[in-house]
Amino acid sequence: MILFPAIDLKEGKCVRLQQGDMARATIFNHDPAQQAAQFEAQGFRYLHIVDLDGAFAGAPVNAAPVERILEAVTMPVQLGGGIRDIGRVEDWLAKGITRVILGTAAVRDPAFVRQAARRFPGRVAVGLDAKDGRVAVEGWAETSDLTALELAQRFEDAGVAAIIYTDIARDGLLKGLNMEATIALAEAISIPVIASGGLASLDDVKALMEPRAAKLEGAITGRALYDGRLDPRAALALVAGLAA
């Protein structure tokens, strides 16, 4: 079980949104590289980054802060937001990103996702962000007709490294992970699934360690870390099996 601390980038700053709404952004750190280094010092072993502006623009916008983060940490980094063609994938992987996350492209251009996954085995993840049961795209500004399961099943044989499943209704609101929907997705496909959206406390981490969640690769945590609701040391100890 991997606990991924999240850095969401908006205008070069580390922010958290509520339900993906860019107008409801809270700035938590003006120095994303410093924030990343802090996460690594706390013991986290894999970082999750989203270029929010890039997700809306359809091309990377916060490349400079991402590059500074890569210089500041040694842990693996996965990145999503505005990666819509094979050239962007190649560029980011060459710069040191361990795994790229393709979201809108998975709906708009599944052939590209398959191409990327074949060319870079183990280094391409698909982001499935669900709103009212349907996959949202373009920075969550639009909703498609596809369910998360329908889209995930399209990539069963594509070599995709992971599915990152986000419940938009819970994202940034500290309502707890949608364990039922996430586990149901994980049990229906062979691709590893990462839970995202709403992780609020140590109770959520405990739920991730239950036998029913054994198929999950990990979970992403954001606001709960930033506002102190989730103690990094306690959470990581629990994941490592060291907690009482």
Side-chain angles (χ1 to χ4, degrees):
M1 178 64 63
I2 301 171
L3 205 55
F4 298 80
I7 289 182
D8 288 358
L9 297 169
K10 182 177 185 288
E11 298 172 355
K13 303 176 184 66
C14 183
V15 308
R16 297 305 295 169
L17 305 183
Q18 292 185 11
Q19 298 180 306
D21 186 347
M22 290 287 267
R24 299 161 71 192
T26 303
I27 298 172
F28 282 101
N29 199 321
H30 288 263
D31 186 347
Q34 184 274 334
Q35 182 64 65
Q38 180 180 325
F39 284 145
E40 186 165 58
Q42 288 170 339
F44 289 99
R45 58 189 181 94
Y46 210 131
L47 181 64
H48 175 84
I49 304 176
V50 177
D51 178 351
L52 294 173
D53 300 303
F56 281 90
V61 174
N62 288 285
V66 172
E67 290 170 7
R68 287 195 292 272
I69 289 171
L70 290 171
E71 293 172 356
V73 300
T74 59
M75 63 177 162
V77 177
Q78 64 182 19
L79 170 69
I83 304 172
R84 309 282 169 85
D85 61 69
I86 199 71
R88 301 287 188 194
V89 173
E90 292 174 340
D91 185 48
W92 278 123
L93 295 181
K95 287 180 177 179
I97 291 295
T98 301
R99 185 159 69 186
V100 295
I101 305 164
L102 307 179
T104 295
V107 176
R108 303 278 196 242
D109 193 358
F112 153 57
V113 177
R114 289 176 172 274
Q115 176 194 14
R118 283 195 304 268
R119 187 176 299 186
F120 304 105
R123 304 190 70 183
V124 175
V126 169
L128 301 186
D129 307 323
K131 181 184 291 185
D132 299 323
R134 301 290 171 177
V135 175
V137 295
E138 306 294 347
W140 300 354
E142 300 177 23
T143 304
S144 73
D145 294 327
L146 291 167
T147 67
L149 178 57
E150 288 170 342
L151 188 56
Q153 287 174 330
R154 290 185 177 185
F155 300 105
E156 274 280 41
D157 61 346
V160 169
I163 297 287
I164 299 170
Y165 177 74
T166 302
D167 184 337
I168 297 173
R170 295 171 181 249
D171 192 66
L173 298 184
L174 300 167
K175 290 184 175 182
L177 291 167
N178 187 340
M179 293 295 291
E180 287 67 31
T182 308
I183 290 171
L185 178 63
E187 291 178 342
I189 61 176
S190 59
I191 307 167
V193 174
I194 298 169
S196 174
L199 195 152
S201 68
L202 206 58
D203 286 337
D204 283 306
V205 181
K206 290 177 181 176
L208 289 166
M209 303 308 294
E210 293 175 1
R212 69 184 184 125
K215 288 197 70 175
L216 299 183
E217 178 180 281
I220 294 166
T221 174
R223 186 175 290 268
L225 271 181
Y226 289 102
D227 69 9
R229 293 171 188 254
L230 183 66
D231 181 286
R233 182 177 298 180
L236 290 169
L238 187 61
V239 169
L242 303 176

